[in-house]
Amino acid sequence: MKICRLDELKEGEGAPIVRLENRGSIRRRLQDIGLVPGSVIKCLQKSPLGDPVAYDVCGAVIALRYEDASEIFVAKGVKDGTD
């Protein structure tokens, strides 16, 4: 298991969320849509320029900017059923 930033996941990779370091209203919005420790998130597709990136979390597809994804940490390599 390796703790890494969400933006380091490659397309098709999934991992459980370990912690969020986002601050302010963005943190609250992310939590409201299911980005909480223990939730599994999967990288679906990166845009041609790399920002934003589409992720699947709790069955919903969301797009996150690099600035927000870089403050979310996941446990890469944990068997979660998405890899």
Side-chain angles (χ1 to χ4, degrees):
M1 173 179 76
K2 176 185 171 192
I3 304 298
C4 66
R5 296 186 326 252
L6 179 58
D7 63 286
E8 295 175 32
L9 289 183
K10 296 177 183 153
E11 288 185 13
E13 283 186 318
I17 296 172
V18 175
R19 70 179 183 275
L20 279 74
E21 292 186 354
N22 309 78
R23 301 276 184 250
S25 61
I26 187 66
R27 180 183 179 94
R28 181 65 177 164
R29 279 183 256 160
L30 293 173
Q31 290 173 325
D32 286 345
I33 59 175
L35 275 80
V36 293
S39 295
V40 175
I41 189 164
K42 183 176 182 180
C43 179
L44 296 177
Q45 183 177 11
K46 295 188 177 195
S47 66
L49 297 178
D51 198 24
V53 176
Y55 296 96
D56 178 316
V57 61
C58 302
V61 177
I62 61 167
L64 290 177
R65 297 175 297 165
Y66 169 81
E67 141 186 5
D68 298 321
S70 67
E71 296 181 335
I72 300 169
F73 291 83
V74 297
K76 194 172 178 179
V78 172
K79 291 295 177 193
D80 54 39
T82 63
D83 293 336

